[in-house]
Amino acid sequence: MPVLTMAQALNTALRDALTADENVVVFGEDVGALGGVFRVTDGLTRDFGDNRCFDTPLAESGIIGFAIGMAMSGFKPVVEMQFDAFAYPAFEQIVSHVAKIRNRTKGALSVPIVIRIPFAGGIGGVEHHCDSSEGYYAHTPGLKVVAPSTVEDAYTLLREAIDDPDPVIFLEPKRLYFSRADVDLAVGAPIGQAAVRRSGRDATIVAYGPSVTVALESAEAAEAEGHDIEVIDLRSIVPFDDETVMASVRKTGRCIVIQEAQGFAGVGAEIAARVQERCFHHLHAPVLRVSGFDIPYPAPKLERLHLPSVDRVLDSVDRLQWNGSADTRWAVTA
């Protein structure tokens, strides 16, 4: 098995897709000769030509509008937004058109566009270069939203996204671009299927993208305190794998959700609500969330205080009412 970084796995996925289907095209800001800010598209223009991988003007709305037209004409555009907050100028195109064309045309037209967005923090980026925007896209019917946490999933999910007949928002954790692992390119799970990254019996931590690493580190630390924690990696935010998540929570009876995005009205709130609705009679404590704070993304020197940490997750583990009886399981003290 090859040893690849996440950036290399994504590059390999793009190469394999370009080779397999002549209708696949890759474009965006600086993806050509430069190979992208994070070098994910390195060498693609050289090897496939500038009609298959090319640079665009610095106009995100134009990039998505161009991709819509190409997709409606039979192409499979894979576009890069360069940084998470750079995608906001294209938001109207994504919400009003990319997400709605299949419904608007009663299925006559589809737009199989993959919108690659480097997202989340952990790199000390300044404003507009670090953000967690998954909630906007997950709230938009018609979009699939995925976020790999492993090198292997980066390859598999991107190949699945490119082959999907519907638009996919592909969120790439910036802090994991240069993580490294052995990769079996023939193994993977489809979009919409979560993965159990660590088995446990006492509590479930649900996470996605860069937060999976924090979840696994927290589970290891909790073991030293006598708690056996299961970690679920969503892999796909939309569609959501209710079956895997609920099976885990019904087994453990406790649940914590981690997200880097601000807490209010976020993806974590939706997960908590779904768990409460489907697992109420199995829960020994309220579902808890560990998230970024409800503030604009902070300056680099303050980033570590904003992002979920192992200490903050362990604080939530301690709040899971380990000593409560069945009759008082929902008793909450101020």
Side-chain angles (χ1 to χ4, degrees):
M1 294 187 293
V3 178
L4 301 175
T5 65
M6 181 176 284
Q8 290 171 331
L10 293 166
N11 181 275
T12 302
L14 292 171
R15 287 179 175 277
D16 290 350
L18 286 162
T19 301
D21 188 343
E22 64 180 9
N23 289 317
V24 174
V25 290
V26 178
F27 54 93
E29 298 167 3
D30 297 323
V31 302
L34 180 64
V37 172
F38 298 99
R39 301 301 184 264
V40 172
T41 57
D42 187 40
L44 297 185
T45 298
R46 178 194 64 221
D47 296 339
F48 293 94
D50 58 10
N51 63 329
R52 301 288 305 282
C53 180
F54 52 89
D55 292 332
T56 66
L58 304 182
E60 286 77 15
S61 181
I63 293 171
I64 297 300
F66 184 47
I68 293 169
M70 293 192 73
M72 292 173 69
S73 301
F75 289 92
K76 294 182 178 179
V78 182
V79 302
E80 180 180 302
M81 292 284 98
Q82 198 170 79
F83 286 97
D84 28 40
F86 286 16
Y88 297 147
F91 194 65
E92 191 277 333
Q93 290 275 16
I94 295 170
V95 172
S96 296
H97 304 293
V98 173
K100 293 181 171 63
I101 284 178
R102 180 183 286 280
N103 183 71
R104 184 180 298 147
T105 62
K106 297 182 179 180
L109 288 174
S110 62
V111 284
I113 301 170
V114 177
I115 303 174
R116 294 181 40 245
I117 303 177
F119 95 116
I123 65 167
V126 297
E127 186 180 7
H128 294 124
H129 292 74
C130 284
D131 207 353
S132 295
S133 51
E134 63 270 24
Y136 302 127
Y137 303 111
H139 189 67
T140 304
L143 300 176
K144 294 180 179 178
V145 184
V146 301
S149 71
T150 68
V151 175
E152 200 163 79
D153 269 355
Y155 176 86
T156 300
L157 286 172
L158 185 53
R159 290 301 307 275
E160 290 274 342
I162 294 171
D163 289 340
D164 199 287
D166 289 311
V168 179
I169 305 295
F170 195 88
L171 302 171
E172 301 170 4
K174 293 191 287 288
R175 74 164 79 176
L176 299 181
Y177 270 135
F178 301 106
S179 59
R180 188 179 299 269
D182 295 334
V183 181
D184 186 347
L185 301 182
V187 175
I191 290 175
Q193 183 174 321
V196 180
R197 298 296 182 198
R198 187 184 193 276
S199 295
R201 65 178 184 276
D202 295 336
T204 298
I205 296 179
V206 182
Y208 54 89
S211 296
V212 174
T213 300
V214 178
L216 289 169
E217 292 173 353
S218 301
E220 290 296 322
E223 187 174 23
E225 299 179 0
H227 301 306
D228 188 14
I229 307 295
E230 184 152 292
V231 175
I232 305 296
D233 177 1
L234 288 183
R235 301 176 69 253
S236 168
I237 299 171
V238 180
F240 186 84
D241 185 354
D242 280 298
E243 182 177 354
T244 299
V245 173
M246 305 313 156
S248 176
V249 176
R250 288 175 186 134
K251 177 179 70 172
T252 66
R254 296 176 172 88
C255 182
I256 295 172
V257 184
I258 307 177
Q259 65 176 45
E260 284 194 14
Q262 58 268 32
F264 186 81
V267 169
E270 172 63 22
I271 298 170
R274 297 175 85 88
V275 169
Q276 184 272 335
E277 290 169 355
R278 292 160 173 78
C279 302
F280 182 82
H281 295 290
H282 295 82
L283 290 172
H284 302 301
V287 181
L288 301 179
R289 290 174 289 157
V290 181
S291 70
F293 298 112
D294 294 330
I295 59 173
Y297 203 88
K301 289 184 178 180
L302 300 175
E303 183 183 52
R304 63 182 178 81
L305 302 175
H306 173 72
L307 298 176
S309 65
V310 171
D311 285 343
R312 289 176 60 195
V313 175
L314 291 179
D315 286 344
S316 290
V317 171
D318 290 341
R319 294 171 52 209
L320 288 175
Q321 300 186 19
W322 298 101
N323 297 321
S325 67
D327 293 336
T328 60
R329 63 177 60 180
W330 282 104
V332 179
T333 58

